[in-house]
Amino acid sequence: MKEQLLEIKQKAMNHIEQSPSLKELDHIRVQYLGKKGEITKLLRGMGSLPKEERPKVGAVANEIREEIESFLNTKIQELEKHQQEERLQKETLDITYEPPLPRIGHFHPLIQTLEELEDLFVEMGFTVYAGPEIESVENNFDALNAPKDHPSRNPSDTFYIDKDTLLRTHTSPVQIRAMKNHGAPLRIVSSGRVFRPDDVDDTHSPMFHQLEGLVVDKHVSLANLIHTLDIFIKEMFGEDMETRYRPHDFPFTEPSVEVDVTCHSCHGKGCGACSYTGWSMELLGAGMVHPNVLKHCGIDPEVYSGFAFGMGIDRIAMVKYGINDIRLLFDNDVNFLSQF
Ligand code: FA5
């Protein structure tokens, strides 16, 4: 059996020596050293040897196995080295090659505007406050002094989930949450999505974004509201922007105003974008918090007063970036969005 083992060794060594590829060396390993390989097969016949011979043959078999294994590994290393040298010789370095850069994204212009607005109001001493998109009818309307027959409560103006819950129609219910949870004094802003079944056009979308502001303290006046909004408009759009306050009617503020700014296209001269008025589309509503709203939230209107405002963030972004159609903000056209 020793002779047969030596023969296998010789055969394996020759085979390895002549092998041209790593793949073939792998086959050789299986052929000679594997579980069903030649050495194992031969050793199965050891049972026919005299007892004292068996350990000797076993030792020879192990030695031969190790020698084949070691020669195989040496040959593999040689081949690998050779292959690497060949590859290095073939490879050339092109120092003028410009690899395509990965496309780097950035925040959507709406999110940029929202963050800019929040930063600006935080600098002015406001705290950012969060509110849910699914609201109670109570917070969205009743607590905001919107009477039962107010048109905004109509099912054709509001997405109801059930009779007591809806997709909020504005961010003003966050005023109620903040006043009920924290009382006075208070200075918060809150932003997020709001929903109304409005028909889509250049300036309207059924889902849009608002930023709400609320200040409640002693001796807060309309002058404070106008001063705060004037500072915000100039910081956001530039010193040359004028602000126009028009009387309006919101159930939750008294008095109430709507606010426009100088047309961004013509800077007030009058053009097609502003229908030759010189003023932008309406950007926000505001006013002094109605005493009924304060009372409802447990704040004494004889001691405290407050102002509030609610702006359309989408429209602020449109004025800021000169976008003439709100739909562009929701179309997800990467070519358009990558400009900002
Ligand atoms: C309100 O929603 C009031 N809650 C604002 C408010 C808050 C008044 C606090 C007083 C005190 P209004 O419905 O006007 O108001 O909406 C406010 C702003 O949201 C508008 O000025 C406009 O900029 C924007 N807006 C309204 N409807 C749409 C729409 N369909 N698409 C895009 N923007 C809209």
Side-chain angles (χ1 to χ4, degrees):
M1 195 170 270
K2 268 191 211 161
E3 287 75 43
Q4 281 168 294
L5 279 169
L6 287 170
E7 263 174 41
I8 294 178
K9 176 185 154 188
Q10 199 48 52
K11 204 166 84 173
M13 295 305 209
N14 290 342
H15 208 161
I16 294 169
E17 184 62 55
Q18 284 154 22
S19 167
S21 72
L22 289 170
K23 203 170 165 193
E24 194 168 331
L25 286 175
D26 217 34
H27 287 309
I28 294 175
R29 187 189 296 279
V30 177
Q31 183 183 342
Y32 293 97
L33 306 176
K35 272 190 195 160
K36 293 178 186 164
E38 295 196 17
I39 294 183
T40 317
K41 262 195 225 155
L42 184 71
L43 292 181
R44 282 206 190 109
M46 272 222 291
S48 62
L49 294 178
K51 240 186 184 173
E52 61 286 4
E53 276 297 304
R54 288 182 205 163
K56 289 181 198 156
V57 173
V60 174
N62 281 343
E63 220 172 274
I64 288 178
R65 229 184 240 289
E66 275 165 28
E67 280 178 63
I68 296 177
E69 181 87 49
S70 150
F71 190 47
L72 198 64
N73 289 341
T74 312
K75 185 76 182 177
I76 288 174
Q77 278 170 11
E78 265 173 31
L79 270 180
E80 280 177 346
K81 197 167 163 224
H82 181 70
Q83 280 183 354
Q84 195 188 14
E85 276 165 7
E86 249 182 12
R87 206 175 56 234
L88 286 176
Q89 261 178 4
K90 271 194 222 144
E91 273 176 12
T92 51
L93 182 64
D94 179 359
I95 56 164
T96 64
Y97 175 67
E98 283 184 34
L101 291 174
R103 196 168 188 157
I104 297 171
H106 61 69
F107 283 119
H108 191 284
L110 265 174
I111 302 298
Q112 291 181 38
T113 308
L114 190 154
E115 289 192 344
E116 200 175 326
L117 285 168
E118 283 184 353
D119 287 351
L120 214 152
F121 282 105
V122 165
E123 267 177 43
M124 289 165 84
F126 287 73
T127 303
V128 175
Y129 201 86
E133 289 172 4
I134 296 177
E135 248 308 353
S136 63
V137 171
E138 155 77 16
N139 283 346
N140 198 81
F141 293 124
D142 298 279
L144 284 165
N145 205 31
K148 283 254 180 296
D149 53 357
H150 194 273
S152 63
R153 296 180 72 131
N154 194 303
S156 67
D157 279 306
T158 298
F159 293 113
Y160 284 89
I161 289 165
D162 57 40
K163 71 176 187 12
D164 300 319
T165 8
L166 41 78
L167 294 181
R168 64 179 176 185
T169 58
H170 52 175
T171 42
S172 297
V174 184
Q175 289 185 32
I176 304 299
R177 288 174 177 272
M179 283 192 277
K180 279 192 172 164
N181 287 334
H182 301 285
L186 201 62
R187 202 185 299 185
I188 57 125
V189 284
S190 185
S191 59
R193 283 186 284 201
V194 302
F195 309 84
R196 298 177 191 175
D198 287 354
D199 287 335
V200 177
D201 64 21
D202 294 3
T203 54
H204 290 86
S205 164
M207 187 285 294
F208 59 101
H209 302 76
Q210 285 191 339
L211 180 123
E212 190 82 12
L214 171 70
V215 173
V216 182
D217 210 333
K218 289 177 180 160
H219 316 296
V220 174
S221 72
L222 190 65
N224 298 136
L225 167 64
I226 291 177
H227 183 62
T228 305
L229 290 180
D230 279 350
I231 292 179
F232 142 67
I233 297 286
K234 291 199 188 303
E235 286 286 328
M236 193 71 189
F237 300 119
E239 279 298 317
D240 56 341
M241 283 296 232
E242 294 296 323
T243 317
R244 176 171 75 165
Y245 295 87
R246 287 182 283 107
H248 194 67
D249 173 41
F250 293 108
F252 36 93
T253 47
E254 180 59 37
S256 303
V257 288
E258 278 190 334
V259 185
D260 316 310
V261 295
T262 314
C263 170
H264 64 278
S265 290
C266 62
H267 302 283
K269 290 191 197 87
C271 68
C274 61
S275 307
Y276 298 94
T277 60
W279 296 101
S280 69
M281 70 209 130
E282 172 213 323
L283 286 187
L284 62 117
M288 299 304 294
V289 181
H290 197 292
N292 286 352
V293 176
L294 293 175
K295 248 189 267 167
H296 182 94
C297 297
I299 295 172
D300 185 353
E302 297 298 327
V303 181
Y304 288 100
S305 54
F307 69 73
F309 53 87
M311 62 186 76
I313 300 176
D314 320 70
R315 293 193 185 173
I316 301 277
M318 288 168 76
V319 172
K320 173 123 189 117
Y321 295 113
I323 298 166
N324 56 12
D325 191 331
I326 198 169
R327 285 166 281 215
L328 290 167
L329 290 171
F330 303 115
D331 279 351
N332 282 336
D333 176 349
V334 177
N335 281 335
F336 168 75
L337 293 174
S338 59
Q339 299 174 78
F340 305 100

